[in-house]
Amino acid sequence: MWTTLSKTVRAGTAIAVRRNFCTPVVNIFDRKAKRLQRERAARRDDVELYDYIKEEVGWRLADRIFDIKRQFQNAVDLGAGRGYVTNHVLGETVQRLTAVDLSPTMLAQIKGTPGLDFTVQEMDEERFAFEENSLDLVVSSMSMHWVNDLPACFRAVNRSLKPDGVFIGAMFGGETLYELRSALQLAEQERRGGLSPHISPFTQIRDVGMLLNRGGFTLLTIDTDELVVGYPSMFELMYDLKGMAESNAAFSRPLHIGRDTLMAAAAIYQDMYARVSKDDATGLEQQGVSATFQIIFFVGWKPCATQPQPAERGSATVSFKDLGEVITKKKQ
């Protein structure tokens, strides 16, 4: 359904009608199911065994915060989880940090770093609510890919940032787990004659920049990296995904998958994406499979008059075709 809002303005005898059309948000992910998944994962006795992906990405995001040569007075870790960024941020870089997440059990396990003044707050990422122009930094690690309305979330973050505030984040990209997706699709098409969405959809890197621009950010920096992890078989991968709280949470997810389909998918996975590694202890070769996790990193700034501005059109004094000669002269 389309919502139409109209406003009539009278100017003399003329009547101007302005209509604003709003596209409704389609909820793809079940946020209640995602909250339960995070709570169950956080209550496991061996929860730290499944943090290897998120810990690595969180450390990389914290390193990007250190690259910005300023001290942030008030920051928020959006979708903090078990503190994958908060546990690496130093008090010399951030004076005060608020870690927010959907899962209270995960928030209770955040340790922080010595000297860091941090607090925790239970909050849904889709209902990000901080005072306008109150934050210097918002960082989000591995939670944005579960948000239904990314444009609205980005606008809320932009609204809460002070001018020249920065938004740094990372999320799973569209190529994540393409091996598992392909194996399940081929197996189900063979056994059932159709396909089901067993893997949640992910944002494509080409869309992230557009969404950030729509959210009001400027001076964008977007890059991607891939983490390829080896597993003994498809089943260990699926078990680890459950421990990471990264199981499928789409409303359209099937609640059951047949054993014959799973066995066929495991055989297809092993045949198409086999991985041979050598055991460091014994020196023997081990058979396994590989899984790809595509990570999209992004940095966006809230516009400010003090930021670098592009030069006026036509103000250049050197042509691009002469750049080689200019660089050569400077070296001499």
Side-chain angles (χ1 to χ4, degrees):
M1 180 181 294
W2 291 75
T3 302
T4 305
L5 302 177
S6 63
K7 184 179 290 185
T8 303
V9 180
R10 290 184 178 271
T13 58
I15 298 178
V17 180
R18 184 178 64 192
R19 292 185 176 90
N20 298 320
F21 296 95
C22 178
T23 304
V25 177
V26 178
N27 288 329
I28 299 175
F29 304 114
D30 186 347
R31 298 293 296 176
K32 292 182 179 179
K34 181 50 58 181
R35 185 180 186 275
L36 287 174
Q37 290 175 6
R38 293 181 182 178
E39 284 288 294
R40 290 167 181 165
R43 291 173 181 175
R44 295 176 63 109
D45 295 333
D46 57 349
V47 59
E48 67 279 353
L49 295 179
Y50 309 99
D51 286 342
Y52 49 90
I53 298 289
K54 295 185 177 181
E55 279 288 346
E56 175 66 22
V57 176
W59 182 86
R60 295 187 185 188
L61 277 184
D63 189 58
R64 295 183 181 221
I65 297 174
F66 300 150
D67 290 337
I68 302 175
K69 304 304 179 184
R70 69 167 67 171
Q71 187 180 46
F72 300 99
Q73 296 181 355
N74 197 9
V76 167
D77 185 358
L78 178 60
R82 298 182 63 246
Y84 307 112
V85 176
T86 303
N87 292 340
H88 299 289
V89 173
L90 300 179
E92 291 82 0
T93 304
V94 177
Q95 289 187 359
R96 184 177 59 185
L97 186 145
T98 304
V100 301
D101 195 86
L102 191 64
S103 168
T105 306
M106 283 194 168
L107 289 173
Q109 298 175 6
I110 298 178
K111 301 177 182 178
T113 57
L116 176 65
D117 179 16
F118 79 95
T119 57
V120 299
Q121 180 178 347
E122 183 181 350
M123 180 187 296
D124 191 336
E125 294 95 325
E126 293 188 347
R127 294 174 174 82
F128 185 80
F130 282 84
E131 292 184 7
E132 187 174 354
N133 298 325
S134 62
L135 304 175
D136 301 289
L137 165 70
V138 175
V139 59
S140 177
S141 179
M142 309 305 288
S143 69
M144 289 288 99
H145 54 276
W146 293 116
V147 173
N148 283 299
D149 192 357
L150 272 177
C153 182
F154 287 167
R155 288 194 297 268
V157 171
N158 185 276
R159 185 169 54 251
S160 67
L161 284 171
K162 299 177 182 178
D164 203 30
V166 60
F167 180 30
I168 305 177
M171 68 174 76
F172 281 134
E175 297 301 316
T176 298
L177 298 176
Y178 73 88
E179 303 97 337
L180 180 61
R181 189 191 307 270
S182 300
L184 287 172
Q185 287 178 349
L186 291 173
E188 196 161 37
Q189 190 168 12
E190 176 193 354
R191 300 290 172 141
R192 297 288 182 260
L195 302 177
S196 298
H198 294 288
I199 308 296
S200 298
F202 298 108
T203 306
Q204 298 291 336
I205 187 172
R206 62 178 177 270
D207 298 326
V208 175
M210 177 191 67
L211 294 173
L212 287 169
N213 272 321
R214 286 178 57 186
F217 291 96
T218 186
L219 300 177
L220 303 180
T221 303
I222 303 171
D223 61 280
T224 181
D225 198 2
E226 289 187 353
L227 301 178
V228 181
V229 184
Y231 296 91
S233 72
M234 184 192 76
F235 298 106
E236 283 77 12
L237 167 60
M238 296 174 67
Y239 192 79
D240 278 18
L241 289 174
K242 182 179 178 180
M244 297 177 196
E246 292 296 333
S247 299
N248 193 355
F251 279 111
S252 59
R253 68 191 184 277
L255 300 180
H256 175 74
I257 180 170
R259 181 175 297 180
D260 59 333
T261 304
L262 279 176
M263 298 303 296
I268 294 172
Y269 203 132
Q270 182 69 47
D271 182 65
M272 297 180 61
Y273 307 107
R275 176 191 180 99
V276 180
S277 60
K278 182 175 292 187
D279 192 335
D280 295 334
T282 62
L284 300 176
E285 290 187 351
Q286 294 181 333
Q287 295 286 337
V289 297
S290 60
T292 301
F293 297 88
Q294 184 188 38
I295 315 298
I296 300 175
F297 296 93
F298 59 86
V299 180
W301 297 80
K302 186 171 183 177
C304 179
T306 61
Q307 292 174 347
Q309 302 295 326
E312 294 184 6
R313 186 178 180 86
S315 61
T317 57
V318 178
S319 175
F320 272 109
K321 66 180 181 179
D322 300 327
L323 278 180
E325 298 178 4
V326 174
I327 295 174
T328 303
K329 290 180 180 179
K330 286 185 176 181
K331 288 183 177 179
Q332 293 176 353

